[in-house]
Amino acid sequence: MHFHEKPNTYVTNVELKVSDLQRSLTYYQEVIGFKVLHQESHKATLTADGKTALLTIIQPETLEEKTRFTTGLYHFALLLPTRRDLANIITHFHHIGVHFGASDHDVSEALYLNDPDKNGIEVYVDRPENKWTWHFDQVHMVTEPLNIQSILEEGNGRWDGLPTDTVMGHIHLSVSNLIVAEEFYTKGLGFEIVTRYGEQALFISTGRYHHHIGLNTWYSENAPKLGENQVGLKTFSLRLDSEEQAVTMRENLLAIGAPVIEIDGGFQTEDPAGNVVLLKF
């Protein structure tokens, strides 16, 4: 999983607003397999290895009804270490009666489901990178039916929660305008485009990963941004490599008119669709 190590810029933590903290805690522990790292009255931090925060869930004091189409989270994606781990979580889902979607993306094999607030979740495993097909600077990605039986043949039926080596593989965002989102993430944050998927989606990364971030307008073109007290994405965090990189990012973000606010351990900004990005060391 060297794509989720420095010097790459990658997602480390996703922060979600939920309508019922206890209901979400039950779901993320019993269904997805997280452990609780920290818990407060309206907030919980979840982990796979007992020390690294991957997902933070927050119940706002005041909740607003969510409009049907907004920008925000399309899904966050948990990357499992091995195909056997994917087989075992499929078996786990079957045992507890959880329905899920499934796709073969050529570079990866993925499951899709939603939490109780309909926040999108992907659980996936990468194929070996030497099996990925590149056409110059573009990686070949598809959406085909997943051969679940082939995966299950590698399982051993053991499911004790998320493997300790699970990482936040990527985040996929709903944006209102793909052109301005592309400028923000490439010129502002330094990501490279690795796949254009039709005219309404693109995938970006560093270090020639198939994607650390996905962007689409499938259900959100010209949509308003998510409200402060509506369930959905609150923030997501990206790992900074060095102070030199941070200085360059600040300059590039300011040059395209994006906000830059200093926070503990780094700074934050906001993409043109209203998605808040925390840049941390």
Side-chain angles (χ1 to χ4, degrees):
M1 296 191 183
H2 65 93
F3 295 111
H4 301 85
E5 298 173 353
K6 292 183 177 184
N8 295 312
T9 304
Y10 56 95
V11 183
T12 57
N13 180 266
V14 172
E15 190 175 28
L16 297 180
K17 295 171 288 183
V18 300
S19 60
D20 184 322
L21 183 68
Q22 191 54 54
R23 180 179 68 169
S24 293
L25 270 173
T26 299
Y27 176 87
Y28 279 109
Q29 291 176 90
E30 295 183 1
V31 177
I32 304 301
F34 276 109
K35 301 178 182 70
V36 176
L37 185 61
H38 303 294
Q39 184 175 351
E40 304 168 27
S41 59
H42 294 284
K43 179 179 179 179
T45 304
L46 305 178
T47 181
D49 64 4
K51 52 189 178 181
T52 306
L54 294 179
L55 182 70
T56 304
I57 52 176
I58 298 172
Q59 181 180 328
E61 291 186 11
T62 303
L63 284 169
E64 298 175 7
E65 185 177 354
K66 186 177 179 181
T67 51
R68 186 176 179 190
F69 298 114
T70 68
T71 60
L73 183 73
Y74 190 69
H75 62 243
F76 67 85
L78 299 169
L79 174 58
L80 304 181
T82 70
R83 204 168 188 245
R84 172 174 286 182
D85 297 317
L86 191 66
N88 291 343
I89 200 171
I90 290 172
T91 301
H92 163 64
F93 288 161
H94 280 313
H95 283 166
I96 63 176
V98 170
H99 297 285
F100 57 87
S103 294
D104 186 328
H105 297 301
D106 197 57
V107 295
S108 63
E109 296 172 294
L111 314 177
Y112 295 95
L113 58 168
N114 294 308
D115 78 0
D117 289 300
K118 301 195 183 307
N119 293 307
I121 305 166
E122 176 181 345
V123 181
Y124 75 109
V125 62
D126 280 334
R127 284 201 168 92
E129 61 182 292
N130 62 5
K131 302 293 186 183
W132 303 353
T133 302
W134 287 87
H135 301 287
F136 299 102
D137 59 352
Q138 300 285 293
V139 66
H140 176 67
M141 291 175 64
V142 296
T143 299
E144 302 288 351
L146 184 63
N147 188 342
I148 291 179
Q149 188 56 45
S150 169
I151 297 169
L152 290 175
E153 289 171 0
E154 297 195 21
N156 58 18
R158 297 175 186 168
W159 175 253
D160 299 313
L162 290 171
T164 56
D165 291 342
T166 301
V167 299
M168 188 64 70
H170 64 266
I171 192 168
H172 195 146
L173 302 170
S174 295
V175 298
S176 54
N177 184 302
L178 203 59
I179 295 173
V180 295
E182 177 180 332
E183 179 184 54
F184 174 86
Y185 285 98
T186 58
K187 293 183 180 179
L189 295 183
F191 284 91
E192 298 176 342
I193 297 169
V194 288
T195 297
R196 292 189 183 274
Y197 205 75
E199 296 182 354
Q200 292 186 299
L202 59 86
F203 297 88
I204 58 178
S205 75
T206 58
R208 284 175 70 85
Y209 189 47
H210 56 71
H211 65 296
H212 288 111
I213 299 177
L215 305 164
N216 80 70
T217 57
W218 292 324
Y219 303 104
S220 57
E221 189 165 13
N222 299 319
K225 72 177 185 179
L226 186 72
E228 180 64 29
N229 293 315
Q230 294 176 328
V231 297
L233 182 66
K234 183 173 177 64
T235 70
F236 68 95
S237 299
L238 294 174
R239 176 74 71 220
L240 289 168
D241 178 40
S242 65
E243 183 57 46
E244 181 181 7
Q245 180 198 35
V247 169
T248 299
M249 275 191 183
R250 288 185 182 95
E251 293 174 350
N252 291 342
L253 288 164
L254 291 171
I256 62 172
V260 173
I261 301 170
E262 298 301 318
I263 60 172
D264 287 343
F267 63 97
Q268 77 174 48
T269 186
E270 185 175 311
D271 77 9
N275 298 307
V276 177
V277 189
L278 309 182
L279 288 302
K280 293 185 175 183
F281 292 100

